[in-house]
Amino acid sequence: MRWQFIANIIGILLFFLGLSMVVPLLVSIHYHDLAQDSFIHSIGMTMVAGLILIILSKKQGDDNYINQKEGMATVALAWTAISLFGALPFYFGPEFTSFTDAFFESVSGFTTTGSSVMTQRH
């Protein structure tokens, strides 16, 4: 199994996840909701992790074919990595005190299950 090839794909996905976090950052800035710092930290950590994986996993050769075993590993690791890094804005924000709750909320959002651990504050 070509772990460097898998790491390269996950690095690219993480980099673009970090880029996609710019949209909620802009919304946060527009509405002055004080969540900018959590998005800035999350964007930085996600994009840096993605770039590190991309740089460390330079492709060897021109074989871009991915076999079934590598595809399954890539999908499983990508869902896990994206959910972990997607939990960062929740964790750095004021709503969640445990990373487990932030991770659950992230998985729920990415998989569109609609389940939530958020409670309504008054």
Side-chain angles (χ1 to χ4, degrees), residues 54-108:
I54 291 168
I55 291 168
L56 292 178
S57 63
K58 298 224 180 198
K59 292 183 184 178
Q60 295 176 349
D62 294 331
D63 187 19
N64 288 331
Y65 173 76
I66 187 167
N67 63 35
Q68 187 175 10
K69 199 184 293 188
E70 291 169 340
M72 292 177 71
T74 301
V75 169
L77 292 172
W79 273 108
T80 304
I82 287 174
S83 296
L84 285 170
F85 281 91
L88 292 177
F90 293 120
Y91 184 65
F92 291 142
E95 296 295 321
F96 294 98
T97 55
S98 82
F99 189 78
T100 305
D101 289 343
F103 180 72
F104 180 87
E105 200 67 35
S106 174
V107 170
S108 174

Side-chain angles (χ1 to χ4, degrees), residues 4 7-8 11-12 48-59:
Q4 285 183 318
N8 191 307
I12 291 168
V48 166
L51 284 174
I52 288 171
L53 280 174
I54 291 168
I55 291 168
L56 292 178
S57 63
K58 298 224 180 198
K59 292 183 184 178

